[in-house]
Amino acid sequence: MADRNPQHNDVTRTDPQTLVRWIIDQQRKSSPDAKGNLSILLGSISVACKFVSSAVRKAGLAGLLGMAGSENIQGEDQKKLDILANEVFINMLAKSGQCAVIVSEENDDPIIVEEAYWGEYCVVMDPLDGSSNIDCGVSIGTIFGIYRVQPGSRGTAEDVLRPGKEMVAAGYCMYGSNCCMVMSVGSGSSIFTLDPSIGEFVLTAPDIQIPPKGNIFSINEGNECFWMPEVAK
């Protein structure tokens, strides 16, 4: 039977909705007068995700598995890929010209971007979440959120110590049997899958929704003794 979804058909996929194109479309719809700075920043994040995806796939061959002999701010042992992913994201963000502050789980302190590359956004991230699963091939990923600096600020830790509802964009990228990114810029969430044949994230599930009722109940009952009374109920 023929594939009814043209996005999944190599012959008819001549008009792919790439992540970059989607970002531009979102900007046109919500902020037609915007300068495109957020679009540039999100583009830099997608490039960093592609780099990490490639590193994860060849980690065993490139000697990137195993411990790095250091700890992050949470006291967790850092893996070699943790450090690589962190450096890649920091370099991409700091040189994008759109960041004022970068906060990473792998760094003790916020990174204040130098004046020559200063921008109006702050990025908080875990460059490689779930790194304890790296050596056994289980899915791992990058988590990120973006704030706009507060009026009059040139970038401080206070710019990111704010409620998540004040973010202008957020998402995660998962590296596993495929590489997919889930992103929201404030009006719903969409899934993009990295197409290795063209090296681009392509829209595969627009405006995803949580179903009103699911078939799976999943909770870590091993932590029941730590649950708040409201959760236990």
Side-chain angles (χ1 to χ4, degrees), residues 4-19:
R4 297 182 180 180
N5 189 340
Q7 289 282 9
H8 299 161
N9 190 313
D10 286 332
V11 176
T12 60
R13 189 175 53 193
T14 57
D15 187 24
Q17 176 78 316
T18 64
L19 175 61

Side-chain angles (χ1 to χ4, degrees), residues 43-200:
S44 296
I45 290 175
S46 73
V47 172
C49 289
K50 294 175 190 178
F51 187 103
V52 174
S53 176
S54 175
V56 168
R57 289 200 308 272
K58 60 186 180 184
L61 297 175
L64 292 173
L65 298 178
M67 310 302 293
S70 55
E71 294 183 348
N72 64 17
I73 192 174
Q74 306 292 341
E76 300 166 336
D77 292 329
Q78 290 179 308
K79 299 293 186 76
K80 294 176 183 178
L81 271 176
D82 277 320
I83 295 176
L84 175 68
N86 192 47
E87 291 178 353
V88 168
F89 270 93
I90 289 175
N91 288 332
M92 289 299 302
L93 294 171
K95 300 296 177 60
S96 70
Q98 309 305 325
C99 277
V101 182
I102 303 170
V103 177
S104 169
E105 187 189 33
E106 305 301 327
N107 293 75
D108 293 343
D109 301 305
I111 297 170
I112 307 301
V113 178
E114 59 183 285
E115 189 70 23
Y117 294 101
W118 190 89
E120 61 179 320
Y121 295 101
C122 307
V123 177
V124 293
M125 63 174 177
D126 184 346
L128 202 59
D129 185 50
S131 57
S132 59
N133 296 322
I134 290 174
D135 293 358
C136 55
V138 179
S139 296
I140 53 182
T142 297
I143 307 170
F144 64 90
I146 303 174
Y147 293 95
R148 184 176 281 107
V149 295
Q150 300 183 88
S153 173
R154 295 298 292 176
T156 69
E158 298 300 320
D159 287 306
V160 299
L161 298 176
R162 297 150 60 188
K165 65 182 180 181
E166 294 184 19
M167 288 182 178
V168 296
Y172 66 86
C173 187
M174 186 172 67
Y175 316 109
S177 57
N178 63 5
C179 177
C180 64
M181 181 183 292
V182 179
M183 183 182 295
S184 174
V185 291
S187 56
S189 301
S190 297
I191 299 178
F192 303 83
T193 302
L194 182 60
D195 184 343
S197 67
I198 60 174
E200 293 287 350

